[in-house]
Amino acid sequence: MREMRVLATAGHVDHGKSALVRALTGMEPDRYEEEQRRGLTLDLGFVWTRLEPDSSPGGGGEHLAFVDVPGHERFVATMLAGVGPVPGVLFVVAADQGWQQQSQEHLEILDALGVRHAVLAVTRSDLADPEPVRADAAERLRATSIGTVPSVAVSSVTGAGLAGLRGELARLAAVLPDPPADADVRLWLDRAFTVRGHGTVVTGTLAAGTLCVGDRLVTGDGESVLRVRGLQCLHEERRSVSGVARVAVNVHGDAVLGRGTVLLTPGRWRPATVTDVRVHGTPVAELPRSVTLHLGTAAVPVTVRPLGEDTARLTLTRGLPLRVGDRAVLREPGGRRVACGATVLDVAPPRLTRRGAARARAVELTGMTGRPDGAAELRRRRLVRRADLEAMGIAAPGPPVAGDWLADPEHWAALRDRLTGEVARHAERHPLDPGLPTEAARRLLGLPDRALVQALVDTPGPVVLHHRQGRLYGPDEARPSLPPPVQRAVEALTEDLRRSPFRAPEAGRLAELGLTRQALAATVAAGALLRVAEGVVLLPDADTRAAAVLRSLPQPFALSEARRALDTTRRVAVPLLELLDRRGHTERVDDQRRRCREAAGSGGGRESNPPARDPRAPRF
C-alpha cells in the first residue's frame, strides 16, 4: 500500500498558503522566527497530515505531505526548488485579492514543468465572495498542462470548506502516479544541516526508487561517495523508504552538501554538460543566450544555441544527471521574461563541427518526442554500451551483441557485409598473407572494441568468416594460394627434402629458389612447409616422421644420438626436438636426455625396443 503522497503549494505572496496547510495539518510550516514574526514565508516548509480513506479504489488513508513554497517574487528560485521534484500542487488564490502577479508566474512555472495534477483552493472566502475568483482561476488553470481541476472555497480562520478540501486532496492522492520502487535513486536536496552526535543530515523529496540504511550514494559530480547511516520519514526512524516520500537522510562521507546537490545510485547516472531539448511556451529564437535551467532543486546557468523552431542545445556550466524525458524550467535571472519549459531529448548529443551539422540535427530532433524509446535511440547511435543507454533513462531493446555492447540490427548487418568485403579485398591484395589482422579490421570499420570484430565473425551471414591466430579469413582463404613462382620453389624444395627429410635447406638455397621471408611465411600458412625455427623449414609431416625415427632408438637418448639417427645438423636437431617436446612426441628425462612418450613406462627397469633400422634410410 502507498504510504505517502507529496504536493507543493503555489500562489501569490500573502494569499494564505501557509495558513491553509497549517489548518489542514495542525503543523507550522514556517520554521524560522522571522517568517512567523513577519507572516511571510522565506524558505521551504514541510508539514503533513493523514488523509481519511475515500470511496475510490485504493484511495486515501496515506500520509499527504506539503512542501510549502514562498510566494514573493524575490523567492521564485526557492519556489522552483520546492515544486520541481513533486508530482502535484495545491494552488492557492485569495478571494479578496484575486489573481495576482505571482499567481501567474507560478502557473507558468507549473505549465513549464508539465504538472497535470492539482487542486484549486480559494482562500479567505470569509472576506469576499469566492465564486468570481474561483471561476477566473479555474479558467486560467484549464489553459495549461494542469487542465480542469476541482476547486474548493475555504477559510483558514473559520474552517469553512476544509472538510471538502480534504476530500478533494484525498481523491487527488488516489490518482497520482505510482513511481517504481526499484528505480534508480535521484534525490535532489533542499536542506543540509548538522545534528550534534549524528553528523550531516539532508532532506529532500524522493521521487522514485528506494533508500535503505547502509546504501551508498554518490554526489552528482561523481566525486564523493556517501553512506546512508539513518533514515527518517515524517519524523519516524525507518530502515527503508520508497518514493514518493519526504525523507531525512543521515549520511556519512566527505562532501559539501546543500540545496541543489543531488544524491544518486552509484554507476547508474552520467553527468551531462550538453543536452538537446524541446522548448515549450516561448519561441527558441526569443530566448536570451544565457538563462538558468531549473531541475529538481538545482539551478544551473546554461548557454542556449537555437537549432530548430522549438529545439535548442544547452551547454551547462556544471554537469547534471539528466535523463531523456526530464522536464525542466528555463528562466532568465531576475524574471524579466516569462519562464518556459524544456523537455530533454538527448543527454549525449553528437558534436556539431561540420558545415550543415546544426541544420541536420534540427531535422533529426523534430522526430524525437522525449519519450524513452530504446529501438529508436539504438538506430540513431548504431552502437552503444548498455550501461550508457540505461544511464540516459532508456531501457535496452535487446541483448548485447558482445560484452556490454548493443547494436542496431540494420547497422550490425551492414558491418558484417563490410567486414566480409574488407577480408576479401585484403586477401586479393596480399595473396601471400591473406589473413586480415583483427586490429586492422577494427580500425577499418571504426569499431570501439576489438570484441565486436569477433562478434561479427560469429554472426551468421551469407559468407562464412574464420578467425585464426589474430587474423580473419574468408571461406576460400583459410590457406593462401601460392603464386606460381613460389609453388615451383616449394616443389623443388620438396624434392630436396625427399632425399634428406631432416636436412633443412640453408639460407643460400632458399635465396636461390626465391623463397624470401614473406614467401616462406606464406608457404607455412598454406601448409606446404613446416616451420621448425626462424629460417628452418621441413616438409609438413617432418615432426611425425622424426618421432617415428626416434622411437627406434634405445630410450632415453641424447641430442647427439638423435642428430645421427635423423641424419641432420645441430642447427636443425635442436629446434626440431624442442618442437617434438611441444607437440607431445617426446619429453625430457634430464638436462641431457629425452625419451619418446609412447616408449615411456613400457616394461620395468630396462626398456625394450624393436630392432633398429638403418637410420639413414628414408621413412615415408
Side-chain angles (χ1 to χ4, degrees), residues 128-181:
D129 180 5
E131 293 309 315
V133 172
R134 175 156 58 178
D136 176 57
E139 183 64 27
R140 293 175 186 270
L141 267 63
R142 189 177 300 117
T144 69
S145 63
I146 295 174
T148 302
V149 298
S151 59
V152 182
V154 298
S155 170
S156 301
V157 175
T158 66
L162 288 179
L165 178 59
R166 291 179 68 89
E168 293 296 348
L169 291 172
R171 282 184 280 277
L172 173 63
V175 300
L176 288 176
D178 285 315

Side-chain angles (χ1 to χ4, degrees), residues 566-598:
L566 296 173
D567 186 26
T568 189
T569 63
R570 184 181 180 87
R571 179 180 74 94
V572 177
V574 171
L576 180 56
L577 287 174
E578 291 174 350
L579 176 66
L580 295 178
D581 289 344
R582 292 194 300 271
R583 296 193 172 183
H585 295 294
T586 58
E587 62 183 359
R588 283 188 174 274
V589 175
D590 51 37
D591 291 343
Q592 301 296 326
R593 297 178 299 165
R594 286 180 171 82
R595 63 184 173 190
C596 293
R597 284 186 179 273
E598 292 183 5

Side-chain angles (χ1 to χ4, degrees), residues 537-563:
V537 291
L538 297 174
L539 292 178
D541 59 349
D543 57 336
T544 56
R545 289 186 178 189
V549 171
L550 296 177
R551 285 191 204 100
S552 65
L553 294 176
Q555 306 290 315
F557 53 86
L559 171 63
S560 58
E561 295 171 317
R563 181 178 60 77

Side-chain angles (χ1 to χ4, degrees), residues 386-449:
R386 176 167 56 184
D388 291 336
L389 191 67
E390 291 174 349
M392 300 174 196
I394 303 170
V401 294
D404 196 38
W405 288 101
L406 301 167
D408 171 58
E410 290 187 11
H411 180 61
W412 190 249
L415 283 174
R416 181 59 161 76
D417 291 342
R418 283 184 57 196
L419 181 61
T420 301
E422 295 293 350
V423 169
R425 275 189 289 276
H426 181 88
E428 183 179 353
R429 294 169 183 168
H430 306 88
L432 295 180
D433 189 16
L436 176 64
T438 304
E439 178 59 20
R442 185 194 69 78
R443 291 196 302 269
L444 286 168
L445 298 182
L447 298 176
D449 192 331

